[in-house]
C-alpha cells in the first residue's frame, strides 16, 4: 500500500535514500516525542559560570571576529552597541521557515546593529542603523515572557545577535527564572567566534546560520569582513556539534538542531554551489538547508557612484561623460534580482552533494511539515 506515496516521494528528490524514513522530515531519528529547552536543563552552577563569563566579555569585548576589546560599559566597538541592547522590533513573526513560524509565529527579536556591513543587506534599516529602543538584559527577558504568554509563539528568535551575545546569555538565564519554556533560536550571519558559540552552548536550541559567500574577495568587497568563509565554517561546525541535525515534534515545529540558510545572489551561484558541497562533505548530509531566492538590491546596491554623481562629470580626456556612464551605480554586478536558473544551479549542486532536507514551499498552500 506504500507504492503510491513512495513514488511521489522519490519524484521530489534527485537522489533518493533507500529507506522510506529518510524521505520524511518528521521521521526518526528527527522526530521528538517531547522537548525541554536546553537552558532548563542547565545546572545552577553552570548557569552562574555563564553569567560570570558574560559580564567578563562585556568588560573586554572579544566574542565576535572583530575583536574590538572595548569595555562596553564605557564605550562601543564596531557594532556601536554598549552594555544594553538596542532592539528595533519584538513581535510574533510570520516571515520565517514554516517549521520555525508554525501557526502562531516565531517570537522574533530584531536587534539593531551588526558586526558585518553587507552592502546588499536585506534588513539595512535595522542592521546598519541604531534605530530602536534600549533594553537591559533583564528587560529583554521580560519581553520573552510576553511573547510566550501573550503571543503564544513557538520559540524565541534572536535575529542578528552576534554582537550582543553576552546580553543574550544574561537575558536567557533571567528568563528561565521567570518561567520561560520555549526553544531559543540563534539567528546569525555566521560571523561568530568559537568562544561565542561556546558561551551559547546549553542555552540555544536551534541555530539558524546564514552562510553568505565563499570567496574571501567577495566577503571583503560585499560584507566588509576578512576571513568570513573560514569563520563561518568553524562556527557552523561548532553549532552542529552542539545540537545536531534539525529535529521536530509531531506538530511539525522544529525544536532543536541546525538549519542553514544560503541567499543565492546574482552572478554568485558558483559560490553557492561550493557552500552546499562543503556542508554535505564537512557537516552532515542530513543538515536542513534553505536555499533562498528572495535577493533584491538593497542598502548601497544601485545607488549612484559618488564620483559620477556630479552633473559636470568628465572623462580623463576632458570630454563630458556619456549619459550612460554618468548613470552608473554602485555594485552594478549585483544590482538585479537573482534568476531562476542561478537558484536552480545551487539546488542541483546541493542534491548532487547528497543533501536532501530542504525548506520548500507547501504545495497545498498551508503549513508545510
Amino acid at each position: 500500500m506504500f507504492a503510491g506515496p513512495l513514488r511521489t516521494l522519490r519524484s521530489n528528490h534527485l537522489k533518493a535514500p533507500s529507506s522510506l524514513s529518510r524521505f520524511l522530515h518528521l521521521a526518526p531519528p528527527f522526530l521528538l516525542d517531547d522537548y525541554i529547552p536546553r537552558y532548563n536543563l542547565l545546572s545552577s552552577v553552570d548557569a552562574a559560570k555563564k553569567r560570570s563569563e558574560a559580564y567578563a566579555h562585556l568588560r573586554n569585548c572579544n566574542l565576535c571576529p572583530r575583536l574590538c576589546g572595548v569595555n562596553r560599559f564605557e564605550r562601543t566597538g564596531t557594532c556601536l552597541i554598549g552594555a544594553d541592547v538596542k532592539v528595533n522590533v519584538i513581535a510574533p513573526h510570520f516571515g520565517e521557515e514554516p517549521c520555525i513560524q508554525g501557526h502562531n509565529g516565531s517570537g522574533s527579536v530584531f536587534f539593531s546593529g551588526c558586526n558585518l556591513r553587507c552592502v546588499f543587506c536585506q534588513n539595512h534599516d535595522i542592521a546598519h542603523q541604531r534605530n530602536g529602543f534600549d533594553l537591559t538584559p533583564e528587560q529583554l527577558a521580560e519581553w520573552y515572557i510576553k511573547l510566550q504568554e501573550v503571543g503564544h509563539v513557538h520559540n524565541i528568535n534572536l535575529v542578528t545577535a552576534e554582537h550582543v551575545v553576552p546580553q543574550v546569555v544574561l537575558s536567557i538565564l533571567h528568563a528561565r527564572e521567570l518561567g520561560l519554556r520555549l526553544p531559543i533560536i540563534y539567528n546569525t550571519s555566521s560571523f561568530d567566534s568559537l568562544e561565542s558559540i561556546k558561551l551559547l552552548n546549553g542555552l540555544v536550541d536551534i541555530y539558524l546560520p546564514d552562510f553568505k559567500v565563499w570567496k574571501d574577495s567577495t566577503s571583503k568587497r560585499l560584507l566588509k569582513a576578512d576571513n568570513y568563509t573560514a569563520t563561518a565554517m568553524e562556527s557552523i561546525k561548532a553549532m552542529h556539534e552542539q545540537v545536531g541535525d534539525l529535529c521536530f515534534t509531531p506538530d511539525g515545529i522544529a525544536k532543536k538542531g541546525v538549519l542553514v540558510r544560503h541567499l543565492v545572489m546574482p552572478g554568485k551561484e558558483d559560490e553557492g554551489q561550493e557552500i552546499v558541497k562543503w556542508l554535505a562533505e564537512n557537516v552532515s548530509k542530513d543538515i536542513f538547508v534553505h536555499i533562498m531566492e528572495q535577493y533584491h538590491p538593497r542598502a548601497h546596491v544601485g545607488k549612484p557612484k559618488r564620483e559620477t554623481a556630479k552633473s559636470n562629470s568628465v572623462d580623463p580626456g576632458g570630454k563630458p561623460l556619456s549619459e550612460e556612464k554618468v548613470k552608473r551605480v554602485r555594485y552594478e554586478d549585483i544590482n538585479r534580482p537573482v534568476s531562476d536558473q542561478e537558484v536552480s544551479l545551487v539546488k542541483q549542486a546541493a542534491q548532487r552533494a547528497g543533501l536532501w532536507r530542504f525548506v520548500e514551499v507547501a504545495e497545498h498552500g498551508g503549513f508545510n511539515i
Side-chain angles (χ1 to χ4, degrees):
M1 65 178 177
F2 290 102
L6 185 56
R7 282 196 298 270
T8 301
L9 289 165
R10 286 187 184 279
S11 68
N12 290 332
H13 303 277
L14 294 183
K15 289 190 176 182
S18 58
S19 170
L20 177 60
S21 67
R22 284 179 56 83
F23 294 113
L24 304 176
H25 296 153
L26 301 188
F30 311 115
L31 180 62
L32 305 170
D33 292 331
D34 197 4
Y35 186 71
I36 299 174
R38 299 176 76 211
Y39 57 84
N40 278 331
L41 301 176
L42 204 64
S43 71
S44 58
V45 173
D46 288 337
K49 288 180 179 178
K50 286 190 178 294
R51 186 176 286 108
S52 176
E53 290 173 4
Y55 281 119
H57 284 299
L58 282 174
R59 288 189 292 270
N60 179 20
C61 192
N62 59 358
L63 278 187
C64 99
R66 298 289 184 183
L67 298 175
C68 296
V70 302
N71 183 339
R72 292 174 68 171
F73 292 101
E74 299 175 353
R75 62 191 183 96
T76 65
T78 301
C79 69
L80 304 178
I81 304 298
D84 292 338
V85 299
K86 187 172 285 290
V87 175
N88 190 277
V89 176
I90 302 179
H93 184 48
F94 294 88
E96 304 288 24
E97 288 79 1
C99 62
I100 299 295
Q101 71 179 35
H103 295 289
N104 298 334
S106 177
S108 297
V109 180
F110 288 86
F111 293 100
S112 297
C114 185
N115 65 353
L116 289 179
R117 293 291 184 270
C118 302
V119 302
F120 56 89
C121 182
Q122 305 294 284
N123 289 327
H124 175 256
D125 55 330
I126 298 175
H128 286 205
Q129 301 175 30
R130 298 181 71 252
N131 296 326
F133 52 98
D134 294 319
L135 293 175
T136 66
E138 292 74 23
Q139 290 170 330
L140 184 58
E142 293 171 0
W143 273 101
Y144 300 163
I145 301 300
K146 291 178 184 179
L147 287 169
Q148 173 180 273
E149 303 300 333
V150 180
H152 303 292
V153 295
H154 298 287
N155 42 61
I156 301 299
N157 188 352
L158 308 173
V159 184
T160 315
E162 301 92 316
H163 58 299
V164 291
V165 167
Q167 298 94 319
V168 160
V169 168
L170 294 172
S171 70
I172 296 171
L173 292 174
H174 185 62
R176 84 168 191 161
E177 296 175 357
L178 299 178
L180 188 67
R181 55 185 182 277
L182 297 176
I184 298 290
I185 298 178
Y186 184 68
N187 194 330
T188 172
S189 69
S190 298
F191 199 51
D192 298 283
S193 70
L194 289 181
E195 191 70 21
S196 181
I197 302 302
K198 178 183 176 182
L199 184 59
L200 291 168
N201 191 15
L203 301 175
V204 170
D205 302 281
I206 296 175
Y207 285 101
L208 201 58
D210 185 4
F211 202 147
K212 294 179 179 291
V213 298
W214 182 255
K215 298 178 181 177
D216 287 340
S217 58
T218 303
S219 68
K220 288 179 181 179
R221 177 173 177 253
L222 299 184
L223 312 186
K224 307 306 178 184
D226 295 324
N227 302 320
Y228 169 81
T229 303
T231 300
M233 288 178 176
E234 284 186 343
S235 298
I236 292 173
K237 288 179 73 173
M239 295 172 193
H240 188 266
E241 288 173 0
Q242 286 184 19
V243 295
D245 296 309
L246 200 64
C247 296
F248 306 78
T249 42
D251 57 3
I253 303 297
K255 299 296 184 181
K256 68 176 288 287
V258 178
L259 192 164
V260 179
R261 292 167 164 172
H262 172 66
L263 179 65
V264 183
M265 296 178 57
K268 307 296 182 186
E269 68 275 13
D270 58 329
E271 300 195 37
Q273 293 177 67
E274 292 295 334
I275 287 170
V276 295
K277 180 181 177 182
W278 179 85
L279 288 171
E281 294 178 351
N282 297 275
V283 184
S284 171
K285 286 184 170 60
D286 294 328
I287 197 165
F288 221 97
V289 178
H290 188 181
I291 298 173
M292 308 170 77
E293 55 191 68
Q294 60 261 49
Y295 171 85
H296 60 280
R298 286 292 309 273
H300 304 294
V301 178
K303 290 184 177 179
K305 285 191 172 181
R306 294 188 180 93
E307 67 273 17
T308 62
K310 299 178 181 179
S311 60
N312 60 347
S313 298
V314 295
D315 66 15
K319 297 180 180 180
L321 287 172
S322 66
E323 183 178 352
E324 179 182 356
K325 289 184 178 179
V326 170
K327 290 185 177 179
R328 280 172 53 191
V329 298
R330 302 177 69 189
Y331 306 103
E332 289 177 279
D333 55 317
I334 58 172
N335 188 33
R336 63 172 176 84
V338 68
S339 70
D340 291 341
Q341 182 181 11
E342 289 166 330
V343 175
S344 179
L345 286 172
V346 178
K347 289 182 177 178
Q348 291 173 19
Q351 291 169 321
R352 284 196 303 271
L355 299 177
W356 64 281
R357 303 180 78 203
F358 301 105
V359 174
E360 297 173 346
V361 177
E363 293 181 2
H364 50 74
F367 177 34
N368 182 16
I369 62 172

